[in-house]
Protein backbone atom coordinates (compact mmCIF):
# COMPACT_ATOMS: atom_id res chain seq x y z
CA UNK A 1 0.00 0.00 0.00
CA UNK A 2 1.46 3.30 -1.11
CA UNK A 3 -0.49 5.49 1.26
CA UNK A 4 0.92 5.49 4.74
CA UNK A 5 -1.60 5.05 7.51
CA UNK A 6 -2.31 8.21 9.41
CA UNK A 7 -0.61 8.34 12.75
CA UNK A 8 -2.91 8.98 15.66
CA UNK A 9 -2.48 11.97 17.83
CA UNK A 10 -3.48 10.14 20.97
CA UNK A 11 -0.21 8.61 22.33
CA UNK A 12 1.32 11.93 23.24
CA UNK A 13 -0.48 14.66 25.09
CA UNK A 14 0.16 17.97 23.35
CA UNK A 15 0.30 19.84 26.62
CA UNK A 16 -1.69 22.62 28.19
CA UNK A 17 -4.17 24.81 26.36
CA UNK A 18 -1.96 27.93 26.79
CA UNK A 19 0.94 26.02 25.23
CA UNK A 20 -1.26 24.90 22.34
CA UNK A 21 -2.40 28.47 21.78
CA UNK A 22 1.18 29.77 21.86
CA UNK A 23 2.33 27.19 19.33
CA UNK A 24 -0.70 27.70 17.07
CA UNK A 25 -0.27 31.48 17.16
CA UNK A 26 3.46 31.23 16.44
CA UNK A 27 2.84 28.84 13.53
CA UNK A 28 0.15 31.10 12.08
CA UNK A 29 2.36 34.19 12.39
CA UNK A 30 5.29 32.35 10.82
CA UNK A 31 3.11 31.36 7.89
CA UNK A 32 1.68 34.88 7.52
CA UNK A 33 5.02 36.69 7.44
CA UNK A 34 6.59 34.09 5.13
CA UNK A 35 3.73 34.37 2.66
CA UNK A 36 3.70 38.16 2.94
CA UNK A 37 7.38 38.23 1.99
CA UNK A 38 6.71 35.80 -0.84
CA UNK A 39 3.68 37.67 -2.21
CA UNK A 40 5.22 41.13 -2.26
CA UNK A 41 7.52 39.81 -4.97
CA UNK A 42 4.55 38.63 -7.05
CA UNK A 43 2.82 42.00 -6.78
CA UNK A 44 6.03 43.86 -7.56
CA UNK A 45 6.63 41.54 -10.55
CA UNK A 46 3.21 42.45 -11.94
CA UNK A 47 3.71 46.19 -11.38
CA UNK A 48 7.34 47.34 -11.62
CA UNK A 49 10.06 44.68 -11.70
CA UNK A 50 9.88 44.06 -15.46
CA UNK A 51 10.84 47.64 -16.34
CA UNK A 52 13.42 48.03 -13.55
CA UNK A 53 15.33 44.76 -13.83
CA UNK A 54 14.50 43.33 -17.28
CA UNK A 55 14.39 46.23 -19.77
CA UNK A 56 13.14 45.00 -23.13
CA UNK A 57 11.50 46.18 -26.31
CA UNK A 58 7.92 45.51 -25.15
CA UNK A 59 6.02 45.61 -21.90
CA UNK A 60 4.92 41.99 -22.39
CA UNK A 61 8.53 40.81 -22.64
CA UNK A 62 9.44 42.60 -19.42
CA UNK A 63 6.45 41.13 -17.58
CA UNK A 64 7.27 37.66 -18.88
CA UNK A 65 10.83 38.01 -17.59
CA UNK A 66 9.60 39.21 -14.20
CA UNK A 67 7.07 36.36 -13.96
CA UNK A 68 9.79 33.90 -15.01
CA UNK A 69 11.82 35.13 -12.04
CA UNK A 70 8.67 34.73 -9.93
CA UNK A 71 8.46 31.11 -11.15
CA UNK A 72 12.13 30.46 -10.25
CA UNK A 73 11.15 30.81 -6.60
CA UNK A 74 8.68 27.95 -7.07
CA UNK A 75 11.30 25.75 -8.70
CA UNK A 76 13.43 26.23 -5.57
CA UNK A 77 10.59 25.31 -3.21
CA UNK A 78 10.98 21.51 -3.52
CA UNK A 79 14.66 21.95 -2.67
CA UNK A 80 13.67 23.70 0.54
CA UNK A 81 11.04 21.05 1.21
CA UNK A 82 13.53 18.20 0.69
CA UNK A 83 16.28 19.73 2.83
CA UNK A 84 13.98 20.85 5.63
CA UNK A 85 11.96 17.63 5.41
CA UNK A 86 15.03 15.46 5.86
CA UNK A 87 16.36 17.53 8.76
CA UNK A 88 12.91 18.20 10.22
CA UNK A 89 12.02 14.50 10.35
CA UNK A 90 15.36 13.77 12.02
CA UNK A 91 15.98 16.78 14.27
CA UNK A 92 12.62 18.47 14.78
CA UNK A 93 10.08 20.82 13.25
CA UNK A 94 11.07 23.93 15.18
CA UNK A 95 14.73 24.33 14.04
CA UNK A 96 13.71 24.16 10.39
CA UNK A 97 10.95 26.71 10.88
CA UNK A 98 13.39 29.11 12.53
CA UNK A 99 15.91 28.63 9.69
CA UNK A 100 13.21 29.19 7.05
CA UNK A 101 12.09 32.45 8.66
CA UNK A 102 15.67 33.70 8.87
CA UNK A 103 16.37 32.96 5.20
CA UNK A 104 13.13 34.60 4.10
CA UNK A 105 13.74 37.75 6.14
CA UNK A 106 17.25 38.23 4.78
CA UNK A 107 16.27 37.54 1.14
CA UNK A 108 13.22 39.82 1.20
CA UNK A 109 15.09 42.73 2.75
CA UNK A 110 17.86 42.15 0.22
CA UNK A 111 15.42 42.55 -2.69
CA UNK A 112 14.25 45.85 -1.20
CA UNK A 113 17.85 47.09 -1.13
CA UNK A 114 18.90 45.75 -4.56
CA UNK A 115 19.98 48.38 -7.16
CA UNK A 116 18.26 48.29 -10.56
CA UNK A 117 19.56 47.34 -14.01
CA UNK A 118 20.18 50.99 -14.79
CA UNK A 119 22.54 51.25 -11.80
CA UNK A 120 24.56 47.99 -11.83
CA UNK A 121 23.69 46.43 -15.17
CA UNK A 122 23.34 42.67 -15.64
CA UNK A 123 24.25 42.03 -12.01
CA UNK A 124 20.84 43.38 -10.97
CA UNK A 125 18.65 40.67 -12.57
CA UNK A 126 21.19 37.97 -11.65
CA UNK A 127 21.14 38.90 -7.95
CA UNK A 128 17.35 39.30 -8.08
CA UNK A 129 17.01 35.74 -9.37
CA UNK A 130 19.37 34.44 -6.65
CA UNK A 131 17.42 36.20 -3.91
CA UNK A 132 14.19 34.81 -5.36
CA UNK A 133 15.73 31.32 -5.19
CA UNK A 134 16.49 31.87 -1.50
CA UNK A 135 12.88 32.98 -0.97
CA UNK A 136 11.70 29.79 -2.67
CA UNK A 137 13.93 27.58 -0.52
CA UNK A 138 12.70 29.38 2.59
CA UNK A 139 8.98 29.04 1.86
CA UNK A 140 9.52 25.42 0.78
CA UNK A 141 11.05 24.74 4.18
CA UNK A 142 8.53 26.84 6.12
CA UNK A 143 5.21 25.31 5.13
CA UNK A 144 5.92 21.83 6.44
CA UNK A 145 7.37 23.13 9.70
CA UNK A 146 4.54 25.54 10.44
CA UNK A 147 1.85 23.07 9.37
CA UNK A 148 3.25 20.28 11.56
CA UNK A 149 3.77 22.58 14.53
CA UNK A 150 0.05 23.32 14.38
CA UNK A 151 -1.43 19.92 13.46
CA UNK A 152 0.80 17.85 15.75
CA UNK A 153 -0.20 20.01 18.71
CA UNK A 154 -3.90 19.86 17.82
CA UNK A 155 -6.34 18.38 20.35
CA UNK A 156 -8.33 15.33 19.30
CA UNK A 157 -10.91 16.04 16.63
CA UNK A 158 -9.51 19.46 15.69
CA UNK A 159 -6.54 18.73 13.47
CA UNK A 160 -8.23 20.28 10.45
CA UNK A 161 -9.08 23.46 12.34
CA UNK A 162 -5.57 23.82 13.79
CA UNK A 163 -4.01 23.16 10.38
CA UNK A 164 -6.17 25.89 8.90
CA UNK A 165 -4.54 28.44 11.20
CA UNK A 166 -1.35 27.97 9.17
CA UNK A 167 -3.35 28.10 5.93
CA UNK A 168 -4.68 31.50 7.04
CA UNK A 169 -1.15 32.80 6.54
CA UNK A 170 -1.85 32.91 2.80
CA UNK A 171 -4.81 35.34 2.83
CA UNK A 172 -3.22 37.31 5.68
CA UNK A 173 -0.05 37.60 3.60
CA UNK A 174 -2.02 38.66 0.53
CA UNK A 175 -4.08 41.22 2.45
CA UNK A 176 -1.02 42.68 4.14
CA UNK A 177 1.04 42.77 0.94
CA UNK A 178 -1.75 44.45 -1.00
CA UNK A 179 -2.39 46.92 1.82
CA UNK A 180 1.25 47.92 2.06
CA UNK A 181 1.46 48.39 -1.71
CA UNK A 182 -1.75 50.42 -1.70
CA UNK A 183 -0.41 52.66 1.06
CA UNK A 184 2.97 53.02 -0.65
CA UNK A 185 1.25 53.91 -3.93
CA UNK A 186 -1.12 56.41 -2.34
CA UNK A 187 1.68 58.23 -0.49
CA UNK A 188 3.97 58.54 -3.51
CA UNK A 189 3.70 59.81 -7.06
CA UNK A 190 3.94 57.40 -10.00
CA UNK A 191 7.59 58.29 -10.54
CA UNK A 192 8.45 58.06 -6.83
CA UNK A 193 6.69 54.69 -6.54
CA UNK A 194 8.68 53.34 -9.51
CA UNK A 195 11.89 54.80 -8.06
CA UNK A 196 11.70 53.80 -4.39
CA UNK A 197 8.12 53.43 -3.15
CA UNK A 198 7.85 49.81 -4.28
CA UNK A 199 10.84 48.93 -2.08
CA UNK A 200 9.13 49.80 1.21
CA UNK A 201 7.01 46.59 1.41
CA UNK A 202 10.19 44.50 1.20
CA UNK A 203 11.71 46.04 4.31
CA UNK A 204 9.20 44.17 6.46
CA UNK A 205 11.63 41.28 5.95
CA UNK A 206 13.70 42.67 8.80
CA UNK A 207 10.80 42.08 11.23
CA UNK A 208 10.73 38.38 10.34
CA UNK A 209 14.04 37.89 12.12
CA UNK A 210 12.42 38.90 15.41
CA UNK A 211 9.70 36.28 14.98
CA UNK A 212 12.33 33.64 14.23
CA UNK A 213 14.05 34.46 17.51
CA UNK A 214 10.75 34.27 19.43
CA UNK A 215 9.99 30.79 18.06
CA UNK A 216 13.54 29.68 18.79
CA UNK A 217 13.35 30.76 22.45
CA UNK A 218 9.66 30.35 23.42
CA UNK A 219 8.12 27.50 21.41
CA UNK A 220 8.59 23.80 22.21
CA UNK A 221 9.03 20.91 19.79
CA UNK A 222 5.86 19.02 18.82
CA UNK A 223 4.83 15.98 20.93
CA UNK A 224 4.34 13.68 17.93
CA UNK A 225 7.89 14.35 16.76
CA UNK A 226 9.23 13.67 20.27
CA UNK A 227 7.41 10.32 20.30
CA UNK A 228 8.72 9.43 16.83
CA UNK A 229 12.22 10.48 17.94
CA UNK A 230 12.06 8.15 20.94
CA UNK A 231 10.89 5.29 18.74
CA UNK A 232 13.72 5.89 16.28
CA UNK A 233 16.27 6.12 19.09
CA UNK A 234 15.23 2.64 20.19
CA UNK A 235 16.13 1.18 16.80
CA UNK A 236 19.55 -0.06 15.89
CA UNK A 237 21.47 2.54 13.93
CA UNK A 238 21.77 0.17 10.96
CA UNK A 239 17.99 -0.12 10.80
CA UNK A 240 17.33 3.59 10.48
CA UNK A 241 16.40 4.93 7.08
CA UNK A 242 16.49 8.35 5.57
CA UNK A 243 12.96 9.84 5.47
CA UNK A 244 13.57 10.92 1.87
CA UNK A 245 14.73 7.43 0.88
CA UNK A 246 11.65 5.92 2.49
CA UNK A 247 9.39 8.34 0.63
CA UNK A 248 11.11 7.74 -2.72
CA UNK A 249 11.04 3.94 -2.33
CA UNK A 250 7.60 3.36 -0.87
CA UNK A 251 5.42 6.47 -0.98
CA UNK A 252 6.34 8.43 -4.09
CA UNK A 253 2.95 7.71 -5.62
CA UNK A 254 1.22 9.33 -2.65
CA UNK A 255 3.44 12.40 -3.01
CA UNK A 256 2.49 12.82 -6.68
CA UNK A 257 -1.19 12.24 -5.97
CA UNK A 258 -1.06 14.91 -3.25
CA UNK A 259 0.63 17.30 -5.67
CA UNK A 260 -1.80 16.50 -8.46
CA UNK A 261 -4.76 17.10 -6.18
CA UNK A 262 -3.55 20.56 -5.19
CA UNK A 263 -2.03 22.03 -8.39
CA UNK A 264 -5.34 23.52 -9.56
CA UNK A 265 -5.74 25.36 -6.27
CA UNK A 266 -2.31 26.97 -6.21
CA UNK A 267 -2.41 27.74 -9.97
CA UNK A 268 -5.80 29.44 -9.77
CA UNK A 269 -4.77 31.33 -6.66
CA UNK A 270 -1.70 32.86 -8.33
CA UNK A 271 -3.69 33.58 -11.46
CA UNK A 272 -6.17 35.74 -9.54
CA UNK A 273 -3.65 37.53 -7.29
CA UNK A 274 -0.81 38.18 -9.75
CA UNK A 275 -1.86 37.19 -13.28
CA UNK A 276 -5.17 39.04 -13.12
CA UNK A 277 -3.42 42.07 -11.59
CA UNK A 278 -1.18 42.30 -14.65
CA UNK A 279 -4.00 41.46 -17.08
CA UNK A 280 -6.47 43.95 -15.62
CA UNK A 281 -4.00 46.85 -15.45
CA UNK A 282 -2.06 46.24 -18.68
CA UNK A 283 -4.64 44.69 -21.04
CA UNK A 284 -7.97 45.91 -19.65
CA UNK A 285 -6.49 49.30 -18.58
CA UNK A 286 -8.07 49.24 -15.13
CA UNK A 287 -6.59 51.35 -12.32
CA UNK A 288 -3.86 49.64 -10.29
CA UNK A 289 -5.13 50.87 -6.92
CA UNK A 290 -8.69 49.73 -7.66
CA UNK A 291 -7.59 46.22 -8.72
CA UNK A 292 -5.38 45.91 -5.63
CA UNK A 293 -8.30 46.99 -3.45
CA UNK A 294 -10.53 44.29 -4.98
CA UNK A 295 -7.84 41.67 -4.41
CA UNK A 296 -7.52 42.81 -0.79
CA UNK A 297 -11.27 42.60 -0.12
CA UNK A 298 -11.56 39.17 -1.73
CA UNK A 299 -8.66 37.86 0.35
CA UNK A 300 -10.33 39.08 3.55
CA UNK A 301 -13.23 36.69 2.96
CA UNK A 302 -10.80 33.75 3.09
CA UNK A 303 -10.08 34.53 6.73
CA UNK A 304 -13.57 33.21 7.49
CA UNK A 305 -13.97 30.59 4.78
CA UNK A 306 -10.71 28.68 5.33
CA UNK A 307 -11.24 27.79 9.02
CA UNK A 308 -14.93 27.11 8.34
CA UNK A 309 -14.06 24.56 5.64
CA UNK A 310 -11.36 23.02 7.84
CA UNK A 311 -13.71 22.70 10.81
CA UNK A 312 -16.32 21.05 8.59
CA UNK A 313 -13.69 18.58 7.38
CA UNK A 314 -13.09 17.55 11.00
CA UNK A 315 -16.72 16.41 11.08
CA UNK A 316 -17.55 15.01 7.65
CA UNK A 317 -14.19 14.17 6.05
CA UNK A 318 -11.23 15.88 4.40
CA UNK A 319 -11.59 14.56 0.87
CA UNK A 320 -15.31 15.27 0.66
CA UNK A 321 -14.72 18.99 1.30
CA UNK A 322 -11.53 19.03 -0.77
CA UNK A 323 -13.24 17.48 -3.82
CA UNK A 324 -16.14 19.95 -3.62
CA UNK A 325 -13.71 22.83 -3.99
CA UNK A 326 -12.03 21.22 -7.02
CA UNK A 327 -15.41 20.69 -8.72
CA UNK A 328 -16.27 24.34 -8.08
CA UNK A 329 -13.03 25.54 -9.71
CA UNK A 330 -13.70 23.38 -12.75
CA UNK A 331 -17.23 24.74 -13.21
CA UNK A 332 -16.35 28.38 -12.48
CA UNK A 333 -13.23 28.73 -14.68
CA UNK A 334 -15.11 30.04 -17.71
CA UNK A 335 -17.64 32.33 -15.94
CA UNK A 336 -14.80 33.87 -13.93
CA UNK A 337 -12.98 35.22 -16.99
CA UNK A 338 -16.18 36.21 -18.75
CA UNK A 339 -16.83 38.50 -15.76
CA UNK A 340 -13.25 39.79 -15.57
CA UNK A 341 -13.26 40.62 -19.29
CA UNK A 342 -16.05 43.16 -18.74
CA UNK A 343 -13.36 45.44 -17.21
CA UNK A 344 -15.88 46.29 -14.49
CA UNK A 345 -14.62 46.44 -10.90
CA UNK A 346 -17.91 45.00 -9.67
CA UNK A 347 -17.77 41.95 -11.93
CA UNK A 348 -14.04 41.56 -11.32
CA UNK A 349 -14.88 41.38 -7.62
CA UNK A 350 -17.70 38.88 -8.16
CA UNK A 351 -15.60 36.66 -10.42
CA UNK A 352 -12.61 36.51 -8.10
CA UNK A 353 -14.74 36.27 -4.94
CA UNK A 354 -16.54 33.12 -6.09
CA UNK A 355 -13.19 31.67 -7.17
CA UNK A 356 -11.79 32.53 -3.74
CA UNK A 357 -14.65 30.63 -2.08
CA UNK A 358 -13.76 27.43 -3.96
CA UNK A 359 -10.06 27.95 -3.23
CA UNK A 360 -10.84 28.29 0.49
CA UNK A 361 -12.95 25.13 0.49
CA UNK A 362 -9.91 23.21 -0.76
CA UNK A 363 -7.27 25.08 1.20
CA UNK A 364 -8.92 24.75 4.63
CA UNK A 365 -8.56 20.97 5.07
CA UNK A 366 -5.42 20.64 2.95
CA UNK A 367 -2.83 20.87 5.75
CA UNK A 368 -4.47 18.17 7.85
CA UNK A 369 -5.12 16.02 4.77
CA UNK A 370 -1.48 16.08 3.69
CA UNK A 371 -0.27 15.47 7.26
CA UNK A 372 -2.50 12.41 7.54
CA UNK A 373 -1.09 10.83 4.39
CA UNK A 374 2.23 10.12 6.13
CA UNK A 375 3.41 8.83 9.50
CA UNK A 376 5.25 11.16 11.90
CA UNK A 377 8.79 9.97 11.10
CA UNK A 378 8.46 10.94 7.41
CA UNK A 379 5.62 13.46 7.52
CA UNK A 380 7.70 16.65 7.09
CA UNK A 381 9.37 15.23 3.99
CA UNK A 382 6.28 13.66 2.41
CA UNK A 383 3.81 16.47 3.03
CA UNK A 384 6.31 19.14 1.97
CA UNK A 385 7.17 17.35 -1.27
CA UNK A 386 3.51 16.93 -2.21
CA UNK A 387 2.77 20.57 -1.53
CA UNK A 388 5.85 21.90 -3.34
CA UNK A 389 5.34 19.73 -6.42
CA UNK A 390 1.92 21.35 -6.75
CA UNK A 391 3.52 24.75 -6.23
CA UNK A 392 6.02 24.22 -9.06
CA UNK A 393 3.65 22.83 -11.68
CA UNK A 394 0.69 24.90 -10.54
CA UNK A 395 1.49 28.19 -8.86
CA UNK A 396 4.97 28.91 -10.18
CA UNK A 397 4.08 28.55 -13.84
CA UNK A 398 0.54 29.92 -13.66
CA UNK A 399 1.15 33.70 -14.13
CA UNK A 400 3.80 32.96 -16.78
CA UNK A 401 1.45 30.54 -18.56
CA UNK A 402 -1.36 33.06 -18.36
CA UNK A 403 0.67 35.73 -20.18
CA UNK A 404 1.84 33.19 -22.78
CA UNK A 405 -1.69 31.91 -23.38
CA UNK A 406 -3.09 35.41 -23.70
CA UNK A 407 -0.34 36.44 -26.12
CA UNK A 408 -0.69 33.27 -28.21
CA UNK A 409 -4.49 33.07 -28.40
CA UNK A 410 -5.73 36.57 -27.69
CA UNK A 411 -8.50 35.22 -25.47
CA UNK A 412 -8.81 34.63 -21.73
CA UNK A 413 -10.73 31.42 -22.45
CA UNK A 414 -7.35 29.76 -22.98
CA UNK A 415 -6.56 30.48 -19.33
CA UNK A 416 -9.94 29.01 -18.34
CA UNK A 417 -9.05 25.85 -20.26
CA UNK A 418 -5.75 25.68 -18.38
CA UNK A 419 -7.61 25.79 -15.04
CA UNK A 420 -10.13 23.18 -16.20
CA UNK A 421 -7.33 20.79 -17.20
CA UNK A 422 -5.71 21.10 -13.76
CA UNK A 423 -9.09 20.60 -12.08
CA UNK A 424 -9.59 17.32 -13.94
CA UNK A 425 -6.16 16.14 -12.76
CA UNK A 426 -7.10 17.14 -9.20
CA UNK A 427 -10.35 15.18 -9.24
CA UNK A 428 -8.62 12.06 -10.61
CA UNK A 429 -5.95 12.32 -7.89
CA UNK A 430 -8.56 12.84 -5.17
CA UNK A 431 -10.53 9.82 -6.39
CA UNK A 432 -7.44 7.58 -6.20
CA UNK A 433 -6.58 8.86 -2.71
CA UNK A 434 -10.16 8.17 -1.59
CA UNK A 435 -10.03 4.66 -3.02
CA UNK A 436 -6.79 3.95 -1.20
CA UNK A 437 -8.21 5.25 2.04
CA UNK A 438 -11.26 2.99 1.61
CA UNK A 439 -9.12 -0.13 1.11
CA UNK A 440 -6.39 0.66 3.68
CA UNK A 441 -5.85 -2.08 6.24
CA UNK A 442 -7.13 -1.56 9.75
CA UNK A 443 -9.76 0.73 11.23
CA UNK A 444 -9.41 4.49 10.74
CA UNK A 445 -7.81 6.64 13.40
CA UNK A 446 -10.37 8.39 15.61
CA UNK A 447 -8.65 11.65 14.65
CA UNK A 448 -9.20 11.10 10.92
CA UNK A 449 -12.68 11.35 9.45
CA UNK A 450 -13.37 9.00 6.57
CA UNK A 451 -13.43 10.60 3.10
CA UNK A 452 -16.57 10.44 1.06
CA UNK A 453 -15.44 7.51 -1.06
CA UNK A 454 -14.56 5.52 2.05
CA UNK A 455 -17.74 6.13 3.99
Amino acid sequence: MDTAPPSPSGPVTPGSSPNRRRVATAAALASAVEWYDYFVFGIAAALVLGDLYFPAGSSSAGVLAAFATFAVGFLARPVGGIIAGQLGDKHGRKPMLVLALTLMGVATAGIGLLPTYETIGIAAPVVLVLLRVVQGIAVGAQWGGAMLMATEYAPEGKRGLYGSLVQLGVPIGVVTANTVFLVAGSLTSESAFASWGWRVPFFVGFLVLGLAWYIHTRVEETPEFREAERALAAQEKTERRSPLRTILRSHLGTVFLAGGSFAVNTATFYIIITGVLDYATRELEMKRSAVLAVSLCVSLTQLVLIPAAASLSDRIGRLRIYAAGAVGLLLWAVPMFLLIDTASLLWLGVGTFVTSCFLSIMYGPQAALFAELFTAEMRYTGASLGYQIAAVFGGGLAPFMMVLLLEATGTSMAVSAYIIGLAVIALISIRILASRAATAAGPPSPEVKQPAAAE
Side-chain angles (χ1 to χ4, degrees):
M1 176 59 59
D2 198 343
T3 304
S7 71
S9 59
V12 178
T13 302
S16 65
S17 293
N19 193 40
R20 284 195 187 116
R21 287 195 293 269
R22 183 188 308 119
V23 172
T25 301
L29 285 174
S31 177
V33 297
E34 284 270 305
W35 286 116
Y36 166 86
D37 285 355
Y38 204 66
F39 291 145
V40 292
F41 190 100
I43 296 173
L47 297 178
V48 296
L49 294 186
D51 292 335
L52 295 176
Y53 290 92
F54 304 96
S58 72
S59 59
S60 295
V63 171
L64 278 171
F67 278 158
T69 305
F70 180 68
V72 164
F74 286 83
L75 295 175
R77 282 170 61 168
V79 176
I82 290 171
I83 295 172
Q86 278 281 92
L87 297 176
D89 282 329
K90 288 182 177 181
H91 304 294
R93 301 9 177 156
K94 187 180 81 169
M96 294 303 99
L97 182 56
V98 171
L99 177 61
L101 287 168
T102 303
L103 287 175
M104 181 62 85
V106 171
T108 303
I111 292 171
L113 297 170
L114 182 64
T116 64
Y117 185 94
E118 185 179 1
T119 304
I120 61 173
I122 193 63
V126 170
V127 175
L128 182 66
V129 170
L130 292 176
L131 291 172
R132 182 60 180 170
V133 168
V134 175
Q135 277 194 321
I137 291 172
V139 82
Q142 174 273 143
W143 182 81
M147 178 270 290
L148 294 179
M149 290 292 288
T151 58
E152 290 183 350
Y153 260 101
E156 184 175 351
K158 293 187 177 180
R159 178 173 278 175
L161 179 60
Y162 269 60
S164 74
L165 297 178
V166 173
Q167 306 295 74
L168 286 177
V170 171
I172 291 172
V174 173
V175 168
T176 309
N178 278 285
T179 300
V180 174
F181 266 100
L182 277 170
V183 171
S186 65
L187 296 179
T188 59
S189 64
E190 287 289 331
S191 60
F193 180 82
S195 176
W196 60 268
W198 67 271
R199 297 180 182 275
V200 174
F202 287 88
F203 295 150
V204 174
F206 289 115
L207 301 179
V208 179
L209 302 178
L211 179 60
W213 178 253
Y214 173 83
I215 293 174
H216 174 67
T217 57
R218 298 294 302 277
V219 174
E220 299 177 3
E221 188 53 78
T222 73
E224 285 198 32
F225 172 76
R226 292 199 301 268
E227 182 185 69
E229 189 177 39
R230 287 193 295 269
L232 288 172
Q235 296 179 5
E236 292 293 332
K237 187 174 181 180
T238 55
E239 295 177 354
R240 298 181 189 176
R241 288 187 176 182
S242 157
L244 179 61
R245 187 178 305 167
T246 301
I247 290 290
L248 294 179
R249 286 183 175 179
S250 305
H251 305 284
L252 189 59
T254 302
V255 169
F256 281 115
L257 286 171
S261 75
F262 193 61
V264 65
N265 185 289
T266 187
T268 307
F269 174 77
Y270 283 103
I271 283 172
I272 67 170
I273 71 161
T274 57
V276 169
L277 177 59
D278 166 64
Y279 178 62
T281 54
R282 184 168 55 87
E283 297 289 342
L284 303 180
E285 299 182 346
M286 300 175 72
K287 293 183 65 173
R288 179 187 67 205
S289 59
V291 177
L292 283 172
V294 168
S295 178
L296 188 154
C297 292
V298 167
S299 296
L300 283 172
T301 64
Q302 293 187 305
L303 299 178
V304 176
L305 294 170
I306 286 175
S311 182
L312 188 60
S313 80
D314 283 327
R315 296 194 294 272
I316 69 173
R318 314 279 185 229
L319 289 177
R320 174 177 290 175
I321 302 300
Y322 199 61
V327 170
L329 291 176
L330 185 150
L331 297 176
W332 188 248
V334 171
M336 176 182 72
F337 271 102
L338 290 176
L339 293 175
I340 291 172
D341 284 344
T342 64
S344 161
L345 280 178
L346 173 62
W347 294 120
L348 171 68
V350 172
T352 54
F353 167 72
V354 175
T355 305
S356 178
C357 290
F358 294 129
L359 292 175
S360 300
I361 289 171
M362 288 190 75
Y363 203 55
Q366 184 249 343
L369 173 64
F370 278 30
E372 290 164 357
L373 291 175
F374 306 95
T375 52
E377 66 273 9
M378 59 179 171
R379 183 174 292 154
Y380 202 139
T381 303
S384 292
L385 277 178
Y387 186 90
Q388 304 312 336
I389 285 173
V392 170
F393 293 104
L397 293 177
F400 184 82
M401 285 295 298
M402 180 174 173
V403 176
L404 279 182
L405 289 170
L406 289 169
E407 288 291 312
T409 67
T411 173
S412 61
M413 291 300 100
V415 185
S416 296
Y418 173 61
I419 294 173
I420 289 170
L422 291 175
V424 170
I425 293 172
L427 290 170
I428 292 171
S429 300
I430 292 168
R431 178 62 185 173
I432 295 172
L433 287 172
S435 297
R436 289 184 175 188
T439 57
S445 163
E447 172 72 10
V448 183
K449 302 295 183 182
Q450 284 286 72
E455 291 178 341

